[in-house]
Amino acid sequence: FPFPHPVCLLFIAVLACHWVPAGCYANGKVAKACHGMEPSHHARGQSTPSPYILTVNATTYGPGDQILVVLSGSTYFTGFLLQARDTPSQGSASIVGTFTLMDPKRTQLLTCNKLKGSAVSHTTAVQKKQVAVIWTPPSYPAVQVQFFVTVVQEFKVFWVKLPGPIINEEGFTSNPTQQGTRTTPPSLQTTTTSILPEPMTSQGCGQSKSCLLDPPGCNPKEDPLCFFLSMTTEGPKSVMFELSGPADGYVAFALSLDTWMGNDDVYMCVKEGDRVSVSAAFVLGRTHPEDESQSGLSSVSWRLADGAIQCRFSRPVRLANQEPARYDLDRDYYLFLANGQSQKGVLLQHSRQPLISTQSKLITGPPEVLRGSRAPTLMKMHGSLMMLAWMLTGSVGTFIASFYKPDWPNQSLLGQKVWFQVHRGLMMLTVALTFASFCLPFFYRSGWSKGAGLHLYLGLSVLALSLIQPLMAAVRPPPDSGSTNFFIKNTLPAQSNPCVSAVIAMSTGMRQSSLLLPQPWATHVLIGYVTWLVSFRTGFLIHMHCTCTLKKCMNLIYFTFTLI
């Protein structure tokens, strides 16, 4: 074509948006970054001091006030994302208030957490040194509000979630030791937080409260690595929850209608510096929690000490007209307990498989000690079938083909030699076990798992090579055919043997979080198996070398080591 074809231009545009995400967000449509305020630039935010500052024209606010917010800097910037949030000292980090634009050509409003106008961003990538907007407080009191901004200087140079000034609701004074107190009686219900006076304890589990513990019988008062969730009924209308775990970043639990992640009512205790943020969210699928808020929570308190993060709160049994929806507590749910790292208040994917209660629990039911497991049954079956296939049936099948041909020279079974029938039966069983085992993780994950890493691709290669083996056997000439095609007869089946890939796949699979095999014992068992396999084959080779002719032994040695 003398000029670029329209289809080619469309293809180039799609590639540009795929490989350079920031180029596609030069228009400031960055609502996907509302929660963590981190741009998808495939680079880390700057840790050096920022040349940009946020300023406001007031230190307090009241109903109907309009606060001027100005972002400025000593150098140019191309993009930004501005929000106002509850301060962590109030136990949540939800987005509050709305903005009004002063320069619609350079700034635009975004909808975050289903609240229109709750964030501001750029409209173009034109360089600028200052932008100004008006912030209007929410209709409900937020007590303390802090402004945050992410500023992009260029594609790989940006500062994430820079903290700005804090403004107080009129009549509120901040006291670090009291976590904030009002100087006037509150006219509206608000949620404030306090510090737990002493660590949580498992005393009373099964008697006055229901508990889920990992490991079983641990006590969060004595063990900071103890994962602890308790539920105490406070009369007919309220339930108090206690949650404790290692202070790595966050601890969370969820109420679920089944043992699958998705459509869950989630409650999170997140470490933010030297404080803890307590919030709730509803997760629709295997996604990051959205619409985090503290709505419906009361009597919130927390503790961050001795290597543990702990929080306590109460919520009504029934919550009417909640956005997002919350589950009522007067029915049965499976309980999920998870923990992981966090960055600047943003929850990262949990590093371990969540602890899932083995049975559903009526939240308002009688006290009991619950049991849970971090290893799903389907994943246990996956590992067991793979190990059965390649540590037993596959190994024995190859041993039969390698060393037991002379032991049944004339005996036949169903029209074939005994060694061949035994070998073929074991290898077909190995292929069947491999195929069944490979499908189980897909049933559990409901699709492709991105977190499996190299193990998934190694398993895929083992399955492919296993399925190739029967095809190679079908085209291989019979032993008595007199064929001299050495490649088809010996080399091709040997080179497509999946034993090596299977051993490597098992070594990577043993470290999968969904299996929780004890380390380093599981690795030692695999090393012992490989050592036994190589030693056994070497011993057989030495024995065969002493009892056969040189020509037969050379062929046997070649064929045996290609099978290894």
Side-chain angles (χ1 to χ4, degrees), residues 472-550:
M472 295 298 99
V475 300
R476 186 180 183 183
D480 54 354
S481 63
S483 173
T484 58
N485 193 333
F486 184 77
F487 177 77
I488 295 180
K489 188 174 181 180
N490 290 316
T491 305
L492 191 57
Q495 297 301 326
S496 62
N497 193 287
C499 290
V500 175
S501 297
V503 171
I504 300 175
M506 285 190 289
S507 66
T508 57
M510 285 181 172
R511 299 185 179 274
Q512 295 294 314
S513 61
S514 56
L515 287 180
L516 292 177
L517 295 176
Q519 295 292 344
W521 299 109
T523 303
H524 293 166
V525 170
L526 183 61
I527 293 175
Y529 161 73
V530 175
T531 304
W532 170 84
L533 186 65
V534 174
S535 302
F536 209 58
R537 285 182 176 273
T538 303
F540 265 86
L541 283 173
I542 295 175
H543 174 72
M544 297 297 291
H545 176 74
C546 298
T547 57
C548 64
T549 63
L550 178 62

Side-chain angles (χ1 to χ4, degrees), residues 131 165 167 290 297 470 488 507:
V131 292
I167 58 176
E290 297 283 348
L297 307 185
I488 295 180
S507 66

